[in-house]
């Protein structure tokens, strides 16, 4: 394989939008996808997808659709509320419109302000637990992958890409373990770019979903199909607040990390992630992932891979972002190798834990 271009790591952390941070809605044990009846309302929960919400979105949306369909099968009620305008809320809303329902989406943030909009966008099973839900997750992965793959070239910001890694990728191997054959097995090779001469590694093949393009398209399509977006002036403070503010009897709860407070969910734990946004580099087409990652998108080359367990602020730290860029540059031989004491690059042993704070 010919040498591939390597990234230009020139980075100005003071440039507007160069550093961003978001909070992964991690849930200990497993994500939540189930239904309950409370105070005369039927609530379908769809939250806690950690670092894999973009990845799983279409699959979870199909499950939500099925639950709502069987609930409303003998009912004249066609009015459904979705809480949350992130990827989970908007994909679920799309599938509810497919059932011919009237859909209203309530949130305190517009889609472009959500965690979903900040995600890197690789299709992989990252930072999520699924205890007791292996079979369900297999189905979710199959539906999600097939739906994303079927949307390539149709303006959803989805493309199929190589992802090079120096070691096996636990997030992509998780996909292969759950659904063998869904993505190709990795190919062992000598890494085909400068700075890695004679270094063995692997080439995986997966999808890149560019959240700014994907979310904008979901929002446009939902509005064109008659869904209503309501930006509430103030965050819902509690479940009781939701029930008194939202008139619909059927409510799909896609509030991500917000579910921790609203549903007093002690299993939720924040995992902050920071991203350094380099200028776009169209010649770069492959992903790179090893103790941090590099995703070349149309808007930016995104450098990420920090996992701050228990931290729930969305304030980026310029020096962390600069270190992150230097770290990935060092892996390409473009900066001296550096220790990373404060960056918390993810390691499987550094697993999330019982939530120390909240409610
Ligand atoms: C740095 C980083 C990188 C990531 N990279 C990837 C990746 O490469 N691939 C991948 O698959 N995933 C990735 N993720 C994970 C992904 O972003 C999340 O899993 C996903 O965004 C969760 O979507 P959501 O719709 O549940 O939550 P959100 O996007 O947070 O949406 C929640 C919605 O609920 C609303 N809401 C919440 N609480 C309230 C309230 N009290 N009142 C009113 N409205 C409320 C919010 O306004 C918002 O509209 C990444 C995350 C981070 C932080």
């Amino acid at each position: 394989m010919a040498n591939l271009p390597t990234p230009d790591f020139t980075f100005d952390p003071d440039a507007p939008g160069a550093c961003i941070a978001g909070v992964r809605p991690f849930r200990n044990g497993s994500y939540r996808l189930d239904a309950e009846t409370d105070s005369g309302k039927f609530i379908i929960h769809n939250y806690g997808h950690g670092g894999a919400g973009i990845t799983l979105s279409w699959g979870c949306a199909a499950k939500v659709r099925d639950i709502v369909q069987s609930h409303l099968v003998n009912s004249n009620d066609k009015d459904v509320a979705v809480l949350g305008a992130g990827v989970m809320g908007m994909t679920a809303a799309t599938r509810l419109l497919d059932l011919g329902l009237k859909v209203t989406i309530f949130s305190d943030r517009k889609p472009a302000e959500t965690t979903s909009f900040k995600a890197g966008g690789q299709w992989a099973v990252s930072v999520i637990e699924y205890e007791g839900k292996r079979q369900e997750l297999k189905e979710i992965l199959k539906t999600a992958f097939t739906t994303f793959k079927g949307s390539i070239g149709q303006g959803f910001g989805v493309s199929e890409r190589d992802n090079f890694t120096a070691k096996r990728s636990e997030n992509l191997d998780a996909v292969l373990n759950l659904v063998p054959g869904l993505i190709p097995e990795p190919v062992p090779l000598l890494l085909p770019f400068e700075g890695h001469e004679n270094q063995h590694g692997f080439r995986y093949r997966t999808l890149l979903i560019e959240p700014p393009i994907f979310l904008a398209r979901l929002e446009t399509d939902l509005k064109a199909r008659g869904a209503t977006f309501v930006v509430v002036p103030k965050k819902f403070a509690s479940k009781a607040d939701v029930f008194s503010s939202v008139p619909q009897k059927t409510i799909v709860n896609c509030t991500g990390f917000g579910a921790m407070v609203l549903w007093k969910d002690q299993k939720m734990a924040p995992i902050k992630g920071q991203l350094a946004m380099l200028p776009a580099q169209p010649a770069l087409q492959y992903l790179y992932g090893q103790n941090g990652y590099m995703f070349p998108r149309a808007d930016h080359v995104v450098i990420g891979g920090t996992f701050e367990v228990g931290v729930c602020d969305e304030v980026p730290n310029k020096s962390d972002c600069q270190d992150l860029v230097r770290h990935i540059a060092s892996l390409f031989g473009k900066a001296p190798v550096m220790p990373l004491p404060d960056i918390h690059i993810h390691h499987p042993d550094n697993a999330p834990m019982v939530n120390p704070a909240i409610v």
Side-chain angles (χ1 to χ4, degrees), residues 290-305:
Q290 200 67 61
N291 260 350
Y293 54 75
M294 185 277 296
F295 301 160
R297 304 194 319 212
D299 58 343
H300 293 284
V301 171
V302 178
I303 307 276

Side-chain angles (χ1 to χ4, degrees), residues 207-358:
L207 303 177
L208 179 67
I209 298 127
E210 307 199 25
I213 301 174
F214 181 49
L215 293 192
R217 175 61 187 266
L218 289 174
E219 183 180 3
T220 303
D221 286 359
L222 283 164
K223 286 181 176 164
R225 294 177 67 192
T228 306
F229 283 76
V230 177
V231 179
V232 293
K234 222 168 123 236
K235 257 177 189 277
F236 296 123
S238 63
K239 183 170 73 171
D241 191 11
V242 170
F243 291 164
S244 60
S245 311
V246 172
Q248 287 82 357
K249 286 193 175 132
T250 306
I251 299 175
V252 183
N253 174 23
C254 303
T255 49
F257 190 63
M260 179 183 78
V261 169
L262 292 178
W263 261 264
K264 295 191 186 298
D265 188 337
Q266 300 272 6
K267 291 186 177 170
M268 291 296 290
I271 304 184
K272 179 177 174 179
Q274 308 209 35
L275 296 170
M277 311 298 260
L278 272 50
Q281 300 173 38
L284 280 182
Q285 287 296 318
Y286 60 90
L287 317 186
Y288 178 82
Q290 200 67 61
N291 260 350
Y293 54 75
M294 185 277 296
F295 301 160
R297 304 194 319 212
D299 58 343
H300 293 284
V301 171
V302 178
I303 307 276
T306 70
F307 298 81
E308 295 167 63
V309 175
V311 181
C312 65
D313 72 72
E314 296 177 298
V315 184
N317 177 314
K318 287 182 188 177
S319 129
D320 280 356
C321 287
Q322 179 79 73
D323 284 354
L324 193 51
V325 175
R326 286 199 193 113
H327 169 67
I328 300 289
S330 77
L331 299 178
F332 277 85
K334 288 190 159 187
V337 176
M338 54 171 296
L340 286 168
D342 297 323
I343 278 218
H344 312 292
I345 292 286
H346 183 58
H347 184 276
D349 295 341
N350 181 18
M353 38 27 133
V354 177
N355 189 345
I358 9 171

